[in-house]
Amino acid sequence: EVQLVETGGGLIQPGGSLRLSCAVSGFTVSNNYMIWVRQAPGKGLEGVSVIYTGGGTNYADSVKGRFTISRDASKNTLYLQMNSLRVEDTAVYYCANPRTVMGAFDLWGQGTMVTVSS
Amino acid sequence: QSALTQPPSASGSPGQSVTISCTGTSSDIGAYNYVSWYQQHPGKAPKLIIYEVSKRPSGVPDRFSGSKSGNTASLTVSGLQAEDEADYYCSSHAGSNNFPYIFGTGTKVTVL
C-alpha cells in the first residue's frame, strides 16, 4: 500500500529541537520529490521545505537556517530536523508527494502535531 | 512571499454552484500552469481535487472544475452536495528563485 506516516510531534519548549519522521511505503523516498507542509491551528497551509529528486533542498524564509530536510534510503524515511523552535512553529506538520501528478501533491500523510510552548 | 488571496468564505444551497477565486501575481499563477486546489475537511489532511489548472485526479467528481485567467485562478463546485462543505486551498508553483510552492489563504465553503 502506498502511504506516508508522520511521527515525532509533541510538546517542546521555545528554543528546543525536534525531529519529525515521514515513513514511506509503496515507493522509494530516495528518488522522489517530497515536501513538508504545516498548518497552524485555525490557519491555512504553508509550505515549509522540499527535497528534490536529485537531493537538492529548499526552505521557506520562515524556517531557513533552523530546519533541515533529509531522507534515509535504508529506512525509506523523510525527516525534518527542527531547531531553535519558536511559538509560531506550532502546527500540524504534513509530508506529501506528487505520486501520480505533476506540480501538485496527491499523496499526504495524516500529519503530526508540534506544539511549542513554555 | 505572500500567500495567494482567496475569499474567506463562500456558500450555496444544495444543487447550486459556487466559485472560489485565487489571486496571485505574474511570478506564480500568471507564470505557470501548475495551479492546484485542495479540499480539507476538519481534522483531515488536504485532498487534491484539481491540478495543472483544470485536471482532476482519478476519483474526483466532475462537479469540480478549475480555470485560470492571468494572475487569477478559479475553482467551481457545481451541483453542491452536503459533503462539499469544507475548506478549500489553492496552490501555485512559484519558480525556482523562491520556495517553489505557495498556498492560498483558504476559503470555507458552507452548504446552506
Side-chain angles (χ1 to χ4, degrees), chain A residues 51-108:
Chain A
I51 186 164
Y52 299 98
T53 302
T57 59
N58 205 334
Y59 300 90
D61 288 344
S62 56
V63 306
K64 203 169 291 184
R66 301 187 299 121
F67 289 12
T68 303
I69 190 172
S70 63
R71 60 195 179 193
D72 185 333
S74 66
K75 293 182 169 63
N76 211 29
T77 298
L78 176 75
Y79 299 102
L80 186 67
Q81 177 67 44
M82 305 185 296
N83 299 330
S84 303
L85 281 162
R86 305 168 179 168
V87 171
E88 54 266 33
D89 295 320
T90 295
V92 176
Y93 286 74
Y94 298 98
C95 58
N97 167 258
R99 191 87 291 270
T100 65
V101 301
M102 285 189 64
F105 302 93
D106 58 337
L107 180 64
W108 293 70

Side-chain angles (χ1 to χ4, degrees), chain A residues 33 39 58 94 102 105 109, chain B residues 34 38 40 44-45 89 98 101:
Chain A
Y33 186 110
Q39 185 171 36
N58 205 334
Y94 298 98
M102 285 189 64
F105 302 93
Chain B
Y34 287 124
Y38 298 86
Q40 187 181 35
K44 299 296 187 181
Y89 295 92
N98 303 294
Y101 287 97

Side-chain angles (χ1 to χ4, degrees), chain B residues 37-83:
Chain B
W37 289 89
Y38 298 86
Q39 177 191 63
Q40 187 181 35
H41 289 107
K44 299 296 187 181
K47 174 188 175 184
L48 180 68
I49 56 173
I50 294 289
Y51 68 102
E52 290 184 45
V53 178
S54 59
K55 296 179 180 179
R56 283 186 308 277
S58 175
V60 174
D62 59 7
R63 303 185 292 102
F64 295 91
S65 62
S67 63
K68 187 187 92 165
S69 178
N71 298 337
T72 299
S74 298
L75 172 73
T76 297
V77 186
S78 305
L80 268 173
Q81 299 183 4
E83 59 262 35

